[in-house]
Amino acid sequence: GKCCLMLNPDGEVERAASVAVLRIEREDGGAVLMQVGRWQDGAATPSLQLPGSKQAAGETSEEVVARVLSEDLWPLEGAVEVVQTKREVYWSQSKGYSIRTKYLRNTAHARLLSPSVVLPGQACLLSDAPPQPSQGALALTWTQPSPGPAPGPEWIPGKTPVFPIADSRGKVALLAWLTPSDKELLEGPGGDRLLAGWMACVQVEEVAQRA
């Protein structure tokens, strides 16, 4: 029960799904935590979206947010405060099912309770400083693909740290704090190419799992 199928007046199959996403914002500059990719089979796949999940049958949006924090964003569990929740309804073509889908999206706007909160694998505070070598179980390195597409703008691989976080199912999301201008650039014309070039430069050597 994470979606339902129905016939429209023209006899066409349509899909409906409810999702809840987290928009966690830092107070120092308004950077937002975004998923910028997935790490699987030794490669990074571009995927720009807010962390979130589909809503199961009988599950409230508040319960989805709590589950995402517990299972997907576990390093931030207990360090985030939800300020408000906004609801929107929109139609989009489902990439997985190729069916016109009606989405009911609940966006939980949240903030970090402390600016000193850190994510695994980064030996510095959550800032736009260059990535530093990890002293823990997780390490992130940058590589120049050759041959292949040119990487994105210099500010992306050089100044924006990427945090590989393994969820409760062992899937690894690549997260980054994006400033409003960064987010606008990646969501604008040519943004897909920039994101692909950025992800082509990422190499995750080890992944920390929740104990």
Short mmCIF file of all heavy atoms in Angstrom, two decimals, residues 22 35-36 47 49-50 57 61 102 106 110 121 128 135 153 163-164 175-176 184 186 200-201 203 206 210:
data_model
loop_
_atom_site.label_atom_id
_atom_site.label_comp_id
_atom_site.label_asym_id
_atom_site.label_seq_id
_atom_site.Cartn_x
_atom_site.Cartn_y
_atom_site.Cartn_z
N LEU A 22 11.92 15.83 3.63
CA LEU A 22 12.49 16.69 4.66
C LEU A 22 13.33 17.78 4.00
O LEU A 22 14.24 17.49 3.21
CB LEU A 22 13.37 15.88 5.59
CG LEU A 22 12.79 15.45 6.93
CD1 LEU A 22 13.71 14.43 7.60
CD2 LEU A 22 12.59 16.64 7.86
N GLN A 35 19.80 15.23 -1.42
CA GLN A 35 20.42 14.04 -1.98
C GLN A 35 20.85 14.40 -3.39
O GLN A 35 20.06 14.86 -4.21
CB GLN A 35 19.44 12.88 -2.03
CG GLN A 35 20.02 11.63 -2.68
CD GLN A 35 19.04 10.47 -2.72
OE1 GLN A 35 18.39 10.16 -1.74
NE2 GLN A 35 18.94 9.82 -3.88
N VAL A 36 22.15 14.19 -3.67
CA VAL A 36 22.67 14.54 -5.00
C VAL A 36 22.99 13.30 -5.82
O VAL A 36 23.31 13.40 -7.01
CB VAL A 36 23.92 15.43 -4.88
CG1 VAL A 36 23.55 16.79 -4.31
CG2 VAL A 36 25.00 14.76 -4.03
N SER A 47 21.18 11.99 -8.72
CA SER A 47 19.78 12.00 -8.27
C SER A 47 19.60 13.20 -7.36
O SER A 47 20.01 13.17 -6.20
CB SER A 47 19.43 10.70 -7.53
OG SER A 47 18.12 10.77 -6.99
N GLN A 49 17.32 15.44 -5.23
CA GLN A 49 16.02 15.50 -4.58
C GLN A 49 16.19 15.69 -3.07
O GLN A 49 17.27 15.46 -2.53
CB GLN A 49 15.24 14.21 -4.85
CG GLN A 49 15.93 12.95 -4.33
CD GLN A 49 15.21 11.68 -4.74
OE1 GLN A 49 14.39 11.67 -5.64
NE2 GLN A 49 15.52 10.59 -4.08
N LEU A 50 15.11 16.10 -2.43
CA LEU A 50 15.11 16.17 -0.97
C LEU A 50 14.99 14.76 -0.41
O LEU A 50 14.31 13.91 -0.99
CB LEU A 50 13.93 17.02 -0.48
CG LEU A 50 14.00 18.52 -0.75
CD1 LEU A 50 12.67 19.18 -0.43
CD2 LEU A 50 15.12 19.18 0.04
N ALA A 57 0.34 2.70 3.71
CA ALA A 57 -1.06 2.71 4.14
C ALA A 57 -1.13 2.81 5.66
O ALA A 57 -0.45 2.07 6.38
CB ALA A 57 -1.77 1.44 3.66
N SER A 61 2.09 11.55 7.69
CA SER A 61 3.28 12.22 7.17
C SER A 61 4.31 12.44 8.27
O SER A 61 5.52 12.38 8.03
CB SER A 61 2.89 13.56 6.53
OG SER A 61 2.29 14.43 7.47
N LYS A 102 -0.38 11.11 -9.77
CA LYS A 102 -0.77 12.23 -8.92
C LYS A 102 -0.04 12.09 -7.60
O LYS A 102 -0.21 11.10 -6.89
CB LYS A 102 -2.29 12.24 -8.70
CG LYS A 102 -2.77 13.35 -7.77
CD LYS A 102 -4.28 13.26 -7.56
CE LYS A 102 -4.79 14.34 -6.62
NZ LYS A 102 -6.26 14.22 -6.40
N ASN A 106 4.05 16.08 1.14
CA ASN A 106 4.16 16.82 2.38
C ASN A 106 5.63 17.15 2.61
O ASN A 106 6.47 16.25 2.74
CB ASN A 106 3.61 16.02 3.55
CG ASN A 106 2.12 15.80 3.47
OD1 ASN A 106 1.32 16.70 3.69
ND2 ASN A 106 1.72 14.58 3.10
N ALA A 110 12.54 21.97 8.25
CA ALA A 110 13.20 21.73 9.53
C ALA A 110 14.52 22.49 9.60
O ALA A 110 15.04 22.98 8.59
CB ALA A 110 13.45 20.23 9.73
N GLY A 121 32.13 10.69 8.22
CA GLY A 121 33.02 10.74 7.09
C GLY A 121 33.60 12.10 6.80
O GLY A 121 34.42 12.24 5.91
N ASP A 128 30.90 24.78 3.84
CA ASP A 128 31.29 24.65 2.45
C ASP A 128 32.82 24.65 2.31
O ASP A 128 33.37 25.15 1.34
CB ASP A 128 30.68 25.77 1.61
CG ASP A 128 29.19 25.58 1.45
OD1 ASP A 128 28.73 24.43 1.50
OD2 ASP A 128 28.49 26.57 1.26
N GLN A 135 38.84 10.39 9.33
CA GLN A 135 39.59 9.61 10.30
C GLN A 135 38.77 8.42 10.79
O GLN A 135 39.20 7.66 11.64
CB GLN A 135 39.96 10.50 11.51
CG GLN A 135 40.79 11.72 11.12
CD GLN A 135 42.08 11.35 10.44
OE1 GLN A 135 42.77 10.45 10.88
NE2 GLN A 135 42.41 12.04 9.36
N PRO A 153 31.26 22.56 -12.53
CA PRO A 153 32.03 23.75 -12.19
C PRO A 153 32.98 23.47 -11.03
O PRO A 153 32.73 22.60 -10.20
CB PRO A 153 30.92 24.75 -11.78
CG PRO A 153 29.70 24.27 -12.47
CD PRO A 153 29.82 22.78 -12.50
N PHE A 163 28.46 13.62 1.50
CA PHE A 163 28.41 12.70 2.63
C PHE A 163 27.68 11.42 2.23
O PHE A 163 26.46 11.44 2.04
CB PHE A 163 27.68 13.36 3.81
CG PHE A 163 28.31 14.65 4.26
CD1 PHE A 163 27.87 15.86 3.75
CD2 PHE A 163 29.35 14.66 5.17
CE1 PHE A 163 28.44 17.06 4.13
CE2 PHE A 163 29.94 15.84 5.57
CZ PHE A 163 29.47 17.05 5.05
N PRO A 164 28.38 10.31 2.07
CA PRO A 164 27.71 9.03 1.76
C PRO A 164 27.12 8.45 3.05
O PRO A 164 27.86 8.16 3.99
CB PRO A 164 28.85 8.16 1.22
CG PRO A 164 30.01 9.09 1.00
CD PRO A 164 29.84 10.18 1.98
N LEU A 175 24.76 12.77 0.01
CA LEU A 175 24.11 13.99 0.47
C LEU A 175 25.08 15.16 0.45
O LEU A 175 26.29 14.99 0.62
CB LEU A 175 23.56 13.81 1.88
CG LEU A 175 22.62 12.62 2.12
CD1 LEU A 175 22.27 12.50 3.58
CD2 LEU A 175 21.35 12.76 1.28
N ALA A 176 24.54 16.36 0.25
CA ALA A 176 25.37 17.57 0.25
C ALA A 176 24.53 18.76 0.70
O ALA A 176 23.31 18.80 0.47
CB ALA A 176 25.95 17.82 -1.14
N GLU A 184 19.78 26.30 -7.36
CA GLU A 184 19.19 26.90 -8.56
C GLU A 184 19.97 26.51 -9.80
O GLU A 184 19.39 26.22 -10.86
CB GLU A 184 19.15 28.42 -8.41
CG GLU A 184 18.51 29.14 -9.59
CD GLU A 184 18.47 30.64 -9.41
OE1 GLU A 184 18.97 31.12 -8.37
OE2 GLU A 184 17.96 31.35 -10.31
N LEU A 186 21.82 23.74 -10.28
CA LEU A 186 21.67 22.32 -10.60
C LEU A 186 20.25 21.99 -11.07
O LEU A 186 20.05 20.99 -11.77
CB LEU A 186 22.02 21.47 -9.38
CG LEU A 186 23.51 21.48 -8.99
CD1 LEU A 186 23.72 20.71 -7.69
CD2 LEU A 186 24.36 20.88 -10.10
N ALA A 200 30.47 12.02 -11.44
CA ALA A 200 31.53 11.24 -12.09
C ALA A 200 32.86 11.42 -11.37
O ALA A 200 33.79 10.63 -11.56
CB ALA A 200 31.67 11.66 -13.55
N CYS A 201 32.96 12.46 -10.52
CA CYS A 201 34.20 12.73 -9.79
C CYS A 201 34.22 12.10 -8.39
O CYS A 201 35.20 12.21 -7.68
CB CYS A 201 34.41 14.23 -9.65
SG CYS A 201 34.66 15.10 -11.20
N GLN A 203 34.23 9.17 -5.57
CA GLN A 203 34.61 7.78 -5.31
C GLN A 203 34.53 7.53 -3.81
O GLN A 203 35.24 8.14 -3.03
CB GLN A 203 36.04 7.48 -5.80
CG GLN A 203 36.54 6.09 -5.47
CD GLN A 203 35.75 5.01 -6.18
OE1 GLN A 203 35.40 5.18 -7.35
NE2 GLN A 203 35.47 3.93 -5.50
N GLU A 206 34.87 3.62 1.62
CA GLU A 206 34.25 2.84 2.69
C GLU A 206 32.96 3.52 3.13
O GLU A 206 32.86 4.76 3.05
CB GLU A 206 35.18 2.69 3.89
CG GLU A 206 36.47 1.91 3.61
CD GLU A 206 37.32 1.79 4.85
OE1 GLU A 206 36.82 1.27 5.86
OE2 GLU A 206 38.48 2.21 4.81
N ARG A 210 25.08 2.17 10.42
CA ARG A 210 24.58 2.45 11.77
C ARG A 210 24.81 1.25 12.66
O ARG A 210 24.54 0.12 12.27
CB ARG A 210 23.09 2.81 11.72
CG ARG A 210 22.54 3.18 13.11
CD ARG A 210 21.14 3.75 13.01
NE ARG A 210 20.73 4.32 14.28
CZ ARG A 210 19.63 5.04 14.47
NH1 ARG A 210 18.84 5.28 13.43
NH2 ARG A 210 19.32 5.51 15.64
#
